[in-house]
Every structure is written in structure tokens, then in C-alpha cells.
């Protein structure tokens, strides 16, 4: 009976190690299941966002919330990938469960099955990393498209802008660089306008006419060619007179330049006649 005590202790320790290994394997399987479910949710959210953008041109608050939820899902997938790697490495290093589950006399257990399981889990982690990277790239392109659509719908937002400042930006030609769009809260559109040099001056002409007409009308709001916003009511009259004076100066300068260019050939032709006389 005294001699059997060490054997009992070794059997108990081996059984305890076996139970711990089974628990670790179960936790690894549960984490892999969670990882697969989250990856499926991310893929479904990405495909739904892309199909929505192709079928509709409007963006609502629900769409923004869905995009944020997909981004959070991608972050959770990356965290679970890290946990999965740690658990797989732990099981591969400490797991000693054999295919038949037998325990030896010394308490050592065959670890070939757990090592193969760890390799399979690492392969699944690599595959899910590729899926999450692709979903990140798709969500980045969707972010750019939705940002442009959001700016076209919302514009400057509830905060009023200075109509005087907007008129000055247009009169000095800064609309070619997209500064007017940036001032109205549409930074992405302003950057696009600046890169294309005012949309090859066509976009600049449309925005210039829209701002001038809005300033001369004395309206408190503006909604033309995607440029939306409200203005400070105290500056409406000053913006009207500033626009009127600025356009008059531009018209006077253009007329004076045209007349001077027409009068130059006439002066050149009159000089030979005077020399001949």
C-alpha cells in the first residue's frame, strides 16, 4: 500500500495535466469559432456596404453607424487573432494529449495531435488575416466615397459662415484652389477641386456664379452645385454691396483693357499717315 502511493500521485498528476490540456484545447476551439463568426460578419458588412453604394447615392446616419460597426468588427478580429496565436502557441508547447488519450506511467502524454491542431489553427489565423486585410482596404475605399457623399449632402452643417469671406475668396480667384469649398466645410471636395485646378476652370465658374448670385440675392442660405450652408445675418447687406462693387470693378477693368487693346492698332496706323504728310 505504501509503494502504490507514488503511482497514485503520478496518475493523479497526469490526469490533472490531461484535464488542463483539454480545457486549453476547448478554449482554443471556442476562440477560433468566435474568430470565424466575426470574420463572416465583417465580410457581410463589407458586401452590404458596397452593394448599397452601387445602388444608392445617398448616405444616412445608419450607413455611417454600419461602417463604424464594421471597423470595430475588424479591430475585434485583429484582437482575437492575437489571442488565437497565443493560445495556439501555448497548446503546442504545453499540450501533451495523444490521439488515444492514454496516460503513461510517468505522466507524459503524446503531443502529436495537439501540435497538428495548433498548425491548423495557425493556418486558419493566416487565412483570416488575409480576409481582414481585404476588408480593411474595401472599407477604406468606401470611406472615401461616403465622405464625398456626406459632404455633398450636409455641406457646412449647422454652423453659419461669413458670406463676406466667401465673396472675397471668389473675387480673388482662390476658388481655383478649392479654398471656397474647404471654407464651406467640404474639405475633400476642396482638395479634389484644387488638384484639378477648379475642375479645369468649369467647376470654378459654376461655383463663382453661384456665390455671386447668392450674395446679390441677399439670401441667408445657399444650396447650389452641392455647396450648402447658412450665413451670418449681420453680414448680408455688406456682402451685397461688396459683391456689387467687386463685379463693377472687374467689368470696368475688363472694358478698359479691351478698349486699350483696340486703340493700339489705330494709333499704329495713324503714325505712318502723319509721317507721309
Amino acid at each position: 500500500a505504501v509503494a502504490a502511493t507514488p503511482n497514485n500521485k503520478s496518475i493523479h498528476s497526469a490526469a490533472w495535466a490531461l484535464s488542463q490540456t483539454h480545457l486549453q484545447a476547448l478554449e482554443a476551439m471556442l476562440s477560433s469559432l468566435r474568430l470565424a463568426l466575426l470574420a463572416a460578419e465583417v465580410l457581410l458588412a463589407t458586401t452590404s456596404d458596397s452593394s448599397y453604394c452601387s445602388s444608392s447615392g445617398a448616405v444616412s446616419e445608419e450607413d455611417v453607424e454600419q461602417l463604424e460597426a464594421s471597423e470595430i468588427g475588424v479591430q475585434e478580429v485583429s484582437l482575437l487573432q492575437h489571442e488565437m496565436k497565443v493560445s495556439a502557441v501555448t497548446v503546442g508547447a504545453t499540450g501533451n494529449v495523444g490521439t488515444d488519450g492514454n496516460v503513461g506511467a510517468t505522466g507524459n502524454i503524446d503531443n502529436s495531435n495537439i501540435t497538428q491542431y495548433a498548425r491548423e489553427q495557425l493556418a486558419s489565423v493566416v487565412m483570416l488575416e488575409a480576409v481582414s486585410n481585404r476588408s480593411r482596404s474595401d472599407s477604406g475605399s468606401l470611406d472615401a466615397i461616403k465622405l464625398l457623399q456626406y459632404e455633398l449632402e450636409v455641406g457646412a452643417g449647422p454652423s453659419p459662415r461669413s458670406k463676406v469671406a466667401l465673396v472675397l475668396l471668389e473675387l480673388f480667384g482662390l476658388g481655383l484652389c478649392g479654398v471656397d469649398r474647404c471654407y464651406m466645410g467640404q474639405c475633400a471636395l476642396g482638395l479634389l477641386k484644387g488638384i484639378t485646378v477648379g475642375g479645369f476652370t468649369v467647376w470654378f465658374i459654376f461655383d463663382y456664379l453661384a456665390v455671386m448670385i447668392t450674395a446679390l440675392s441677399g439670401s441667408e442660405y445657399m444650396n447650389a452645385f452641392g455647396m450648402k450652408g447658412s450665413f451670418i445675418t449681420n453680414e448680408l447687406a455688406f456682402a451685397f454691396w461688396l459683391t456689387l462693387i467687386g463685379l463693377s470693378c472687374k467689368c470696368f477693368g475688363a472694358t478698359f483693357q479691351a478698349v486699350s487693346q483696340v486703340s493700339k492698332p489705330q494709333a499704329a496706323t495713324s503714325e505712318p499717315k502723319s509721317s507721309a504728310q
Side-chain angles (χ1 to χ4, degrees), residues 4-18 103-107 109:
T5 303
N7 292 329
N8 291 332
K9 290 183 178 180
S10 63
I11 291 173
H12 284 302
S13 62
W16 175 257
L18 179 63
V103 181
T106 59
I109 306 169

Side-chain angles (χ1 to χ4, degrees), residues 223-245:
N223 186 4
F225 303 112
M227 189 182 291
K228 300 179 182 180
S230 59
F231 300 103
I232 302 172
T233 56
N234 297 333
E235 298 181 355
L236 298 179
F238 185 73
F240 170 80
W241 290 108
L242 179 64
T243 305
L244 189 61
I245 294 171

Side-chain angles (χ1 to χ4, degrees), residues 229-273:
S230 59
F231 300 103
I232 302 172
T233 56
N234 297 333
E235 298 181 355
L236 298 179
F238 185 73
F240 170 80
W241 290 108
L242 179 64
T243 305
L244 189 61
I245 294 171
L247 291 177
S248 301
C249 292
K250 283 183 174 291
C251 292
F252 178 76
T255 305
F256 180 76
Q257 187 176 3
V259 170
S260 62
Q261 289 179 356
V262 171
S263 61
K264 282 181 181 180
Q266 293 178 356
T269 54
S270 62
E271 287 180 359
K273 290 181 180 179

Side-chain angles (χ1 to χ4, degrees), residues 34-192:
R34 291 174 58 195
L35 190 60
L37 288 174
L38 284 175
E41 290 179 0
V42 169
L43 287 176
L44 288 175
T46 305
T47 53
S48 63
D49 288 339
S50 59
S51 63
Y52 176 78
C53 286
S54 61
S55 62
S56 175
V59 179
S60 60
E61 295 181 356
E62 296 179 356
D63 302 325
V64 176
E65 291 178 356
Q66 290 178 359
L67 186 59
E68 292 177 353
S70 64
E71 292 177 355
I72 293 172
V74 169
Q75 294 176 0
E76 290 180 355
V77 167
S78 62
L79 291 176
L80 284 176
Q81 286 172 358
H82 179 69
E83 293 178 359
M84 192 65 210
K85 287 181 180 179
V86 173
S87 62
V89 171
T90 303
V91 171
T94 61
N96 295 321
V97 180
T99 55
D100 52 354
N102 294 326
V103 181
T106 59
N108 296 327
I109 306 169
D110 187 14
N111 60 355
S112 60
N113 190 21
I114 294 300
T115 305
Q116 182 65 28
Y117 176 75
R119 290 176 182 174
E120 292 177 357
Q121 294 302 318
L122 287 175
S124 64
V125 166
V126 171
M127 182 185 67
L128 288 174
E129 280 181 353
V131 171
S132 63
N133 291 331
R134 186 178 63 184
S135 64
R136 286 192 186 97
S137 61
D138 294 338
S139 63
S141 61
L142 290 174
D143 285 341
I145 295 173
K146 288 196 172 186
L147 179 60
L148 293 175
Q149 293 176 350
Y150 178 78
E151 288 185 353
L152 286 173
E153 287 191 354
V154 177
S159 60
R161 308 290 179 176
S162 175
K163 186 181 281 190
V164 175
L166 184 61
V167 169
L168 289 175
L169 290 175
E170 296 293 344
L171 289 175
F172 285 104
L174 295 177
L176 282 171
C177 304
V179 181
D180 52 351
R181 289 278 179 171
C182 293
Y183 179 71
M184 294 300 293
Q186 299 175 336
C187 295
L189 291 172
L191 181 61
L192 181 62

